[in-house]
Amino acid sequence: MIEELQRLAMFVGDLNSSLDFAPKLPFDEVVPGDTWERTVSYQPQKMKSGKTVNQRLDYTFTFDGVKQWKGIDIHQITATLNLDTDAAPWLNELYGVSDRESDLAKMPLTMDAKIIFRLDMKTGLTLSAFAESKGGWEVFLKLDVQKSVAVQKIKGRTSLKLKKGTAE
C-alpha cells in the first residue's frame, strides 16, 4: 500500500499507474468541461456504510478545451487524483484484530496529483505534459494519538515533451 502510494506520487510504475505518454481518451466526443475516469490503483478507502475496504483510485480527466501554448492552439486535458483516507481500520481487519484490540489509532493516507496534457490539434499527439503530486502517510498509536510515530511526506514532479521532428 505504501509502495503503491510512492509510485503514484513519483509517476513511475507499471503502464496503469505511471505517467502515460498520452491521456486515456473517451470513445465519445467531448466538449470543454466533460470528465471521465481511469483507475490507476487500489487503496483502502471508507465506504458510505462506514466500512473500510480496498477501492479503486481513479484519475479524473477533464477536457479543458482549446488553449494557447507557446503561440499555438492546443487541446488541453487536466487529470486529477485525490486520496484522503484512514488505512487503520483496513489494516486491523487484514490482520484479524478488532479496532478495540489494536494499538493502531489511525493511519491517514493522502495524495493529490495533477497532470496537464497539451495535445496537438491535428494529430492528437502529446506535445507536453507536466505533473505534480503531494501526499504521504502517518502512523498514530493509541498510546498518544496526538503524536505520530512514523511519517512520510511525498512530493513528485515530472514533465515530458515531444522532441522537434519526432511527430512527422
Side-chain angles (χ1 to χ4, degrees):
M1 160 180 69
I2 299 301
E3 288 174 357
E4 183 65 13
L5 199 64
Q6 291 167 334
R7 280 193 292 275
L8 285 169
M10 299 298 154
F11 305 101
V12 296
D14 62 24
L15 289 176
N16 290 326
S17 63
S18 63
L19 177 62
D20 208 337
F21 295 114
K24 298 296 183 207
L25 300 174
F27 291 111
D28 298 326
E29 190 173 317
V30 294
V31 296
D34 281 355
T35 64
W36 62 97
E37 293 182 338
R38 178 176 158 232
T39 301
V40 292
S41 183
Y42 292 84
Q43 290 288 333
Q45 298 177 57
K46 194 173 214 170
M47 297 174 53
K48 290 177 184 175
S49 67
K51 187 174 180 173
T52 302
V53 297
N54 230 7
Q55 292 184 301
R56 294 176 13 178
L57 187 57
D58 297 331
Y59 264 106
T60 300
F61 291 85
T62 303
F63 178 54
D64 300 323
V66 176
K67 302 288 182 185
Q68 278 279 312
W69 179 70
K70 293 190 176 185
I72 61 170
D73 286 341
I74 51 99
H75 285 294
Q76 182 171 297
I77 296 172
T78 301
T80 57
L81 176 137
N82 304 98
L83 174 68
D84 187 1
T85 192
D86 181 4
W90 180 80
L91 286 168
N92 288 339
E93 186 176 315
L94 180 69
Y95 289 105
V97 179
S98 73
D99 290 340
R100 194 178 73 240
E101 297 170 320
S102 174
D103 290 331
L104 184 59
K106 59 184 176 178
M107 185 178 175
L109 299 174
T110 61
M111 174 66 60
D112 290 308
K114 181 178 181 180
I115 307 171
I116 298 172
F117 292 96
R118 296 174 185 101
L119 309 179
D120 183 273
M121 294 280 292
K122 293 178 185 167
T123 65
L125 287 173
T126 301
L127 299 173
S128 81
F130 179 76
E132 285 187 307
S133 66
K134 182 179 178 182
W137 56 270
E138 294 184 74
V139 175
F140 294 85
L141 300 178
K142 289 180 180 173
L143 185 63
D144 183 357
V145 295
Q146 301 303 314
K147 186 177 180 184
S148 61
V149 295
V151 178
Q152 183 179 47
K153 302 288 183 192
I154 306 168
K155 279 186 174 183
R157 179 183 284 176
T158 191
S159 63
L160 63 89
K161 71 177 186 176
L162 184 66
K163 285 189 174 183
K164 191 171 187 142
T166 57
E168 297 152 358

